[in-house]
Amino acid sequence: MSSAMESSKRNGDVMQDMNLAEDQIKVLEENFLKVSKQPDEATLMLIAAECGLSEEDTAKWFKLRYSKWRTSEGLPAMCGSVKD
């Protein structure tokens, strides 16, 4: 399995392990797609309050989702990565 696929699988597993409700995921996805893929602290705080999650869990979800999105776009999972 390629490292990109392994990274994507790990991120998906961790996201599933967060045990989020369907309505929480919907709010998070809407914000990811319409507001920002990398929200600042103030925006994260508002999203966390809207979802009923901690800011830490919300930030973790966005980090994992951003990594998954980059992989789907054919980019390295982490910013600043360089492919040989």
Side-chain angles (χ1 to χ4, degrees), residues 8-78:
S8 178
K9 178 160 174 42
R10 282 193 304 267
N11 290 342
D13 291 347
V14 172
M15 289 174 77
Q16 288 176 355
D17 290 346
M18 291 181 76
N19 294 321
L20 300 174
E22 191 173 318
D23 59 330
Q24 290 173 315
I25 295 170
K26 182 179 178 185
V27 170
L28 291 166
E29 281 290 339
E30 285 177 0
N31 279 284
F32 182 82
L33 296 172
K34 296 179 182 174
V35 177
S36 175
K37 290 178 176 39
Q38 293 185 295
D40 59 30
E41 286 187 37
T43 305
L44 269 176
M45 183 177 66
L46 293 171
I47 295 169
E50 186 179 357
C51 297
L53 296 171
S54 70
E55 290 177 48
E56 293 80 15
D57 284 345
T58 304
K60 179 180 177 180
W61 185 90
F62 269 89
K63 181 179 178 183
L64 294 169
R65 182 63 179 88
Y66 185 69
S67 177
K68 183 177 175 181
W69 173 79
R70 284 182 57 87
T71 301
S72 74
E73 293 291 312
L75 300 167
M78 303 305 283

